[in-house]
Amino acid sequence: MKKLCRTVGSEAKFLGVCGGIAKYFDMDPTVVRLIVAILIIPGGLSIWAYIIAALIMPKEY
């Protein structure tokens, strides 16, 4: 069973949320980071949603 967790170490750029999402969906973390940046810049995705996800998602071990 897959579990959605924040990544730690070299995969985590800023709180590890994008790396965790990429690992969960078996994608490249750079693609997920680009998608998140594209959604945050015009205001479609709030930076607060990213921070809340970082607080809710557990770190991987």
Side-chain angles (χ1 to χ4, degrees):
M1 181 174 165
K2 290 197 290 188
K3 186 175 178 184
L4 182 60
C5 298
R6 292 185 293 141
T7 56
V8 293
S10 63
E11 291 182 6
K13 298 295 181 195
F14 181 69
L15 301 175
V17 174
C18 291
I21 292 171
K23 187 176 277 190
Y24 185 79
F25 289 110
D26 199 28
M27 296 175 62
D28 183 21
T30 305
V31 173
V32 176
R33 289 183 188 109
L34 282 172
I35 292 170
V36 169
I38 289 169
L39 291 174
I40 286 177
I41 290 172
L45 176 69
S46 173
I47 191 70
W48 292 109
Y50 186 90
I51 293 170
I52 290 169
L55 294 173
I56 293 173
M57 290 171 59
K59 289 183 184 177
E60 71 178 358
Y61 297 103

